[in-house]
Amino acid sequence: MPVNPMKTVSQVRITSPLFSGLVYSFSMMTIGTIVTSLFLLLTSTQESSLHTLTTIIHAVSLFIGGWVSGKRAGNRGWYHGGMVGVFYFILIFLVGFLAFDAGLNLQSLQLLGILFASGALGGILGVNTQK
């Protein structure tokens, strides 16, 4: 009987809840950014709504990342999801600061609050959906 070659390949699994949440968050952000870019290109939507769209993309990405983080952690989902939100914000802020000379202002602090809350909510639901 032939042996399935896929069973002999070792799987890579990220064990850190924080890192796995960040990987999922940035993956979802990339997908959301591509979809939004195509949406802006193919429709007559104005770029003035871009701030709202990016905030929604970040919040949904963090919800999914928090969900994964909470599910991997198995406990304290709000903490793990919220920490994913904080680290995500720090990385986004650093990119904005270094690339565009964007400083810390009220708008970025509001984004931090939204990201923390979204990640924490995802983490809570992630812990509660464990088997």
Side-chain angles (χ1 to χ4, degrees), residues 1-130:
M1 185 145 142
V3 176
N4 185 354
M6 291 306 290
K7 292 189 180 205
T8 61
V9 176
S10 63
Q11 292 182 348
V12 176
R13 180 168 167 87
I14 302 171
T15 57
S16 168
L18 176 67
F19 187 63
S20 63
L22 284 172
V23 167
Y24 274 82
S25 294
F26 279 107
S27 299
M28 292 298 114
M29 180 193 62
T30 302
I31 292 169
T33 302
I34 291 169
V35 168
T36 302
S37 297
L38 290 173
F39 183 71
L40 287 172
L41 178 69
L42 300 174
T43 64
S44 61
T45 305
Q46 299 296 319
E47 289 183 9
S48 61
S49 63
L50 197 57
H51 174 69
T52 305
L53 290 172
T54 57
T55 304
I56 291 170
I57 289 170
H58 288 310
V60 170
S61 298
L62 252 298
F63 180 79
I64 293 169
W67 183 296
V68 170
S69 180
K71 192 166 185 167
R72 294 261 167 99
N75 58 5
R76 292 184 300 179
W78 70 270
Y79 172 77
H80 287 94
M83 290 310 295
V84 170
V86 169
F87 277 94
Y88 181 95
F89 172 78
I90 290 170
L91 291 171
I92 294 295
F93 179 75
L94 282 174
V95 168
F97 178 74
L98 295 173
F100 304 111
D101 201 26
L104 191 62
N105 55 22
L106 182 62
Q107 192 175 14
S108 60
L109 291 177
Q110 287 173 339
L111 181 64
L112 173 61
I114 291 169
L115 296 180
F116 179 83
S118 181
L121 180 63
I124 290 169
L125 294 176
V127 166
N128 290 317
T129 57
Q130 280 212 330

